[in-house]
Amino acid sequence: MDYYQIEQLLTPEQLLVRDSISEFVKSEVSPVIDQYAQDHKEIPDLMKKLGRIGALGPFIPEQYGGAGLDQIAYGLIMQELEYGDSAIRSAASVQSSLVMYPIYSFGSEDQKQKFLPGLAKGELIGAFGLTEPNHGSNPAGMETKLIKDGDGYRLNGAKMWITNAPICDIAVVWARDEEKKIRGVIVERAFQGFSTPETLNKWSLRVSKTGELVFDQVYIPKENILPEVNSMRGPLSCLNSARYGISWGAIGAAVDCYQTALKYAKERQQFGKPIASFQLQQKKMAEMVTEITKAQLLSLRLGQLKNEDQATPAQISMAKRNNVNMALQVAREARQILGAMGIVGDYPIMRHMMNLESVITYEGTHDIHLLITGNDITGISAF
Ligand code: TGC
Ligand code: FAD
């Protein structure tokens, strides 16, 4: 879907990355995703497969196991993965932006050497714990506590709605210390008192595991504290990276819905004509192409700004909000074009639509991103 010849603005390396991820999705994800989603099961060895194709930490330097790619290549990877399923993109974006990014940006050299190569290969699975039962949109209210104990610390509290919690080997967790500062902690699976109960019965992101991170007097050695961060700036800057990736990812889901609807509309006959010949159906599809194209341009420009280290958090919020909402609207319209066929798993639309209900909520809700824009343009916080 390249109505404005955006491909011409991409480098040969970016195109190569995009096409190789697309090939992986079309061979390894699309043929099986519906069954795994219906069964509420993960794709076996997904993280290792993502590691092999370079989708984990693509912007992390090669010396730590990353691919050293630029931000537009990262965005294109997210786009192609979410064409397959939002849960596949989620797996890659949590690992890359929410686990590898903070270890790379705020970690010690020892922490980088110890964790990044395994995370890049998908041999270690990471989770990111910010949201708590009582603090979702307002993470600064967090109650999880990190208290000094001898040479190390004790961690107490709970995080909720955490992607990959039940299967994680490590979790980057945000907690408040005795001086009320926000600290980042790397919690390892083997630590005593650490448990990760699964959140069951989801209608969304059914190939992804979601759960809690529970800390009951967990002893944290001082080597597992991220040394270079002590404020909300830490977790919020991880969100910048993930939200940027989601802005691209949502385009992938929208394109899959649009292409499915276009093909169906050309084939399906009613009143002796293909339904694509009716103006009402053409309006839906013409608007989809317009909105997808606008979203592509927004993410591409944001990627250029990110490559120059110029993208502001508010610009990222605008792109995440716009593009996810766009994808959800495209999914809803596309489903209608398929009539009753739109509700079954033979087509990907309903699955994308249900996934996007999570995507429009996590990484900052649709409302919160609007308020971030409002704050940016007026200078007045309405939170
Ligand atoms: P505020 O007082 O405005 O700022 C506190 C400090 O943080 C700085 N800051 C940022 N820094 C980097 N990036 C950003 N985006 C930043 N936003 C703010 C700010 O400059 C300040 O720095 P300093 O040095 O002056 O102290 O912060 P606030 O506490 O009022 O929060 C504002 C608000 C509402 C925007 C923020 O809390 C927010 O974004 N809430 C939404 C929560 C959210 O997005 N949670 C996501 C959880 S992770 C997740 O959902 C993963 S889904 C994974 C998957 O893909 O499966
Ligand atoms: P709330 O904050 O309770 O918001 C409820 C409603 O109130 C929303 O509509 C919201 O927009 C609105 N609202 C809140 N405050 C305001 C305001 N000031 N003005 C106007 N309206 C407001 N978190 C992690 O830390 N790590 C993860 O890996 C992770 N993965 C997730 C995976 C899934 C599948 C889901 C669904 C969530 C995940 N989350 C994760 C949590 C996610 O970030 C939160 O759900 C999200 O930030 C919203 O928090 P909440 O659900 O508590 O909603």
Side-chain angles (χ1 to χ4, degrees):
M1 228 295 313
D2 189 15
Y3 205 71
Y4 259 45
Q5 298 173 23
I6 290 168
E7 216 177 83
Q8 290 180 8
L9 303 175
L10 302 178
T11 64
E13 182 182 63
Q14 290 161 352
L15 288 170
L16 194 69
V17 168
R18 182 198 65 182
D19 292 347
S20 71
I21 303 292
S22 168
E23 226 166 84
F24 165 80
V25 168
K26 287 185 175 145
S27 65
E28 301 270 336
V29 176
S30 301
V32 296
I33 188 72
D34 181 66
Q35 198 55 56
Y36 282 104
Q38 301 273 3
D39 295 346
H40 209 332
K41 293 214 166 99
E42 308 148 80
I43 295 183
D45 284 331
L46 176 70
M47 296 306 282
K48 287 193 182 130
K49 288 177 184 166
L50 291 175
R52 278 201 286 278
I53 59 170
L56 304 179
F59 49 76
I60 298 290
E62 289 172 66
Q63 70 183 109
Y64 298 114
L69 294 172
D70 78 311
Q71 289 291 326
I72 293 173
Y74 173 55
L76 290 164
I77 292 172
M78 298 297 116
Q79 173 184 283
E80 296 310 316
L81 292 178
E82 199 148 355
Y83 180 96
D85 193 89
S86 300
I88 311 293
R89 193 271 309 138
S90 242
S93 59
V94 168
Q95 186 97 341
S96 304
S97 288
L98 300 182
V99 179
M100 296 178 74
Y101 172 85
I103 294 174
Y104 175 67
S105 303
F106 310 123
S108 66
E109 189 54 36
D110 282 351
Q111 289 167 346
K112 292 181 209 184
Q113 304 271 4
K114 179 172 175 190
F115 297 111
L116 291 177
L119 288 162
K121 289 195 192 94
E123 286 166 0
L124 284 179
I125 299 178
F128 175 85
L130 181 62
T131 305
E132 297 186 354
N134 295 326
H135 306 281
S137 296
N138 179 26
M142 73 177 70
E143 295 164 43
T144 299
K145 283 192 178 54
L146 188 69
I147 309 280
K148 197 94 184 76
D149 183 2
D151 232 14
Y153 295 83
R154 289 276 164 197
L155 185 66
N156 277 291
K159 301 286 177 179
M160 198 175 179
W161 297 113
I162 307 303
T163 298
N164 279 346
I167 55 167
C168 72
D169 298 295
I170 63 166
V172 171
V173 173
W174 300 92
R176 204 174 277 289
D177 71 12
E178 287 155 293
E179 295 168 32
K180 310 279 177 228
K181 291 195 167 136
I182 303 297
R183 308 298 300 271
V185 179
I186 304 172
V187 181
E188 300 183 37
R189 168 62 69 185
F191 288 1
Q192 284 288 316
F194 175 43
S195 59
T196 59
E198 184 172 356
T199 303
L200 301 168
N201 301 330
K202 289 184 303 171
W203 283 111
S204 181
L205 298 175
R206 284 170 64 83
V207 301
S208 165
K209 294 266 184 218
T210 309
E212 294 168 54
L213 304 172
V214 182
F215 316 105
D216 179 10
Q217 292 281 63
V218 179
Y219 181 75
I220 308 288
K222 65 176 186 310
E223 305 81 67
N224 282 47
I225 305 289
L226 296 175
E228 304 296 335
V229 59
N230 61 14
S231 79
M232 278 306 289
R233 237 173 223 282
L236 292 175
S237 62
C238 304
L239 300 187
N240 292 337
S241 178
R243 290 166 176 174
Y244 162 73
I246 290 171
S247 83
W248 281 95
I251 297 169
V255 168
D256 195 22
C257 293
Y258 159 72
Q259 287 176 339
T260 303
L262 177 63
K263 183 165 183 295
Y264 187 88
K266 286 179 169 175
E267 287 167 6
R268 173 73 173 167
Q269 303 262 334
Q270 285 296 287
F271 299 94
K273 293 185 245 174
I275 59 170
S277 66
F278 300 128
Q279 288 184 4
L280 285 175
Q281 306 312 319
Q282 289 192 3
K283 176 176 186 290
K284 289 190 178 88
M285 292 182 289
E287 283 177 350
M288 287 180 204
V289 173
T290 308
E291 292 307 316
I292 290 171
T293 303
K294 284 155 68 180
Q296 288 171 327
L297 291 167
L298 202 55
S299 285
L300 181 67
R301 177 62 187 140
L302 190 58
Q304 292 168 342
L305 290 170
K306 265 199 128 252
N307 277 342
E308 294 159 10
D309 215 7
Q310 297 288 317
T312 67
Q315 288 170 332
I316 294 169
S317 280
M318 181 183 282
K320 190 272 182 181
R321 180 176 187 273
N322 180 79
N323 291 10
V324 176
N325 190 51
M326 175 282 295
L328 197 46
Q329 299 310 325
V330 165
R332 287 174 180 156
E333 294 287 296
R335 200 217 57 76
Q336 290 196 52
I337 291 175
L338 269 71
M341 290 305 281
I343 72 157
V344 292
D346 306 39
Y347 296 94
I349 299 176
M350 195 81 174
R351 176 172 46 78
H352 281 306
M353 193 197 298
M354 293 195 299
N355 286 342
L356 288 163
E357 291 291 344
S358 285
V359 183
I360 203 165
T361 293
Y362 66 37
E363 293 285 356
T365 67
H366 193 60
D367 297 328
I368 290 296
H369 289 296
L370 178 102
L371 296 179
I372 290 172
T373 307
N375 188 1
D376 194 46
I377 61 181
T378 64
I380 304 166
S381 163
F383 297 115

